[in-house]
Every structure is written in structure tokens, then in C-alpha cells.
Amino acid sequence: MNLQSTRVKKGRKFDQVLEGAREVFLADGFEGASVDDIARAARVSKATLYSYVPDKRLLFMEVAKMECQRQADAAIARMQMSGPADEVLFEAASQMVRFFLSDFGRQTFRIAVAESERFPEIGREFYNAGPTIARTALTAYLVERIAAGELVIDDLDLAADQFIELCKAGVHTKTMMGVKTDFTDAEIDRVIRGAVETFLARYGA
């Protein structure tokens, strides 16, 4: 398949196709989702579906970008709350960790990495659709807490990246490698609290 054949074409029913695909991908995963089921959920013909997105992996990435945007918006809503860093960062970390560990989050990451070598723009678009937005919002929140005298940070970009990576500690690599895919609420809470406490131990005023 060449690059030209993977172009997404926007049209009147494009959003309808994405919503149908989202429903099926979230229910059945990438491998379990069939084009027939996606077309049925989207209430379009297979020919119409393929006229918009000619490749199942590309369709998944379009849905992933949309879902990451939603997750980023939810995280941003939490970071826009006024309140102390320990509370707001806990909420933001909760959103991120649970998305990292979700079936959809795992599948999205794997496919984005796999396809980005053949089609670098897919990886870039995916990164810009969610991670970059959430990182920008996190940086803006950190600036606010610095101004309030709660945090002391010299390198904001590094600090934001560190917080996101702390939210992956002990779980992300395991779930990506298939070592462990199910985590209890207590295990997830441990990672979230550890991320916030470690971050504040380093950057708290």
C-alpha cells in the first residue's frame, strides 16, 4: 500500500463513519472489529466507508486521534480547576494512567508506533491530537502554580514530561509487553499517588 492510498477524505458522512468506528473499536478492539460491523454501526455502505478511509489501520488511527482529543479535553478540564497542585495533579494523573492502561489506549499506542515508521505523519498527527494538547495544558497549569508560589521549576518542558512519565512508572512497559494487562484500583492508585508525591518532592516550593 502506498502513501497516497492511505489519504483520509473528509465528507458529509465522515463524522458518522468515525462515530460508528469508535463504537465498534471500543467494544471489540482493533483485531476483533470487522469492516462490516463498522459500516453497520455507522449506517453506511462498505463502499462509502472505504471512500472516506481506505485502510482499517488508518481508520483506527483517526478514531484514536478523536478519542485522544477527548481524553486530553477531560484532563485539561481537571487542570483548569483552581486548587492546590496535589489535588489537581492527582485528578490529571488519574485520567492519564487509566487511559494508558485501557484496552483502547494500549491498542492505540501499539498501532501508532507500528505505523509511524511507514507513515511518519500518522505518528505525528496522533501525538499532536492528544499528548501535545495535554502537555501544553499541564505546562500552563504549572506556570500558574509557580506564580502562586507553590512550585519552583526552572525547566517547564522537562518538568511536564517528567510528570507524564511518572504516571507510567511500573505499569506502562508491563502492559505494552503483555507482562501484565490487568491492574487493581489499589495498584493504579499507588502509581498515581507516587507520581504526584515524587513530582511535588522535587518541585514543591
Side-chain angles (χ1 to χ4, degrees), residues 66-81:
M66 178 177 68
E67 190 65 18
C68 284
Q69 176 72 64
R70 292 180 180 181
Q71 294 293 331
D73 289 343
I76 289 169
R78 285 163 169 76
M79 284 184 280
Q80 287 176 339
M81 297 186 304

Side-chain angles (χ1 to χ4, degrees), residues 13 17 24 44 48 57 59 78 101-102 113 147 162 181 192:
K13 295 186 177 181
V17 167
V24 176
V44 299
T48 297
R57 283 180 175 267
L59 178 57
R78 285 163 169 76
L101 296 179
S102 68
V113 171
Q162 287 173 333
T181 56
I192 294 167

Side-chain angles (χ1 to χ4, degrees), residues 1-92:
M1 181 181 300
N2 60 42
L3 182 60
Q4 186 61 37
S5 69
T6 65
R7 299 295 186 188
V8 174
K9 297 178 182 178
K10 304 294 178 69
R12 183 169 57 88
K13 295 186 177 181
F14 181 70
D15 290 341
Q16 187 175 323
V17 167
L18 286 189
E19 286 297 335
R22 177 180 182 273
E23 176 184 330
V24 176
F25 282 134
L26 287 176
D28 301 332
F30 175 76
E31 294 297 339
S34 72
V35 174
D36 287 331
D37 288 341
I38 292 171
R40 191 176 304 112
R43 301 184 305 280
V44 299
S45 68
K46 286 175 66 175
T48 297
L49 189 154
Y50 280 127
S51 72
Y52 288 121
V53 188
D55 178 75
K56 180 181 169 184
R57 283 180 175 267
L58 189 60
L59 178 57
F60 184 87
M61 290 311 303
E62 287 295 315
V63 173
K65 287 190 292 182
M66 178 177 68
E67 190 65 18
C68 284
Q69 176 72 64
R70 292 180 180 181
Q71 294 293 331
D73 289 343
I76 289 169
R78 285 163 169 76
M79 284 184 280
Q80 287 176 339
M81 297 186 304
S82 58
D86 59 341
E87 295 178 7
V88 175
L89 291 177
F90 183 88
E91 291 296 326

Side-chain angles (χ1 to χ4, degrees), residues 127-142:
Y127 186 79
N128 291 333
T132 295
I133 294 172
R135 182 178 179 276
T136 299
L138 174 59
T139 301
Y141 175 75
L142 296 178

Side-chain angles (χ1 to χ4, degrees), residues 171-188:
V171 294
H172 189 254
T173 301
K174 286 180 182 177
T175 194
M176 285 298 103
M177 299 295 181
V179 174
K180 184 174 183 178
T181 56
D182 294 319
F183 295 86
T184 65
D185 288 340
E187 289 173 320
I188 293 173

Side-chain angles (χ1 to χ4, degrees), residues 3 6-7 65 116 118-126:
L3 182 60
T6 65
R7 299 295 186 188
K65 287 190 292 182
S116 61
R118 288 196 303 161
F119 308 121
E121 74 279 10
I122 291 179
R124 286 194 295 267
E125 288 177 9
F126 164 70

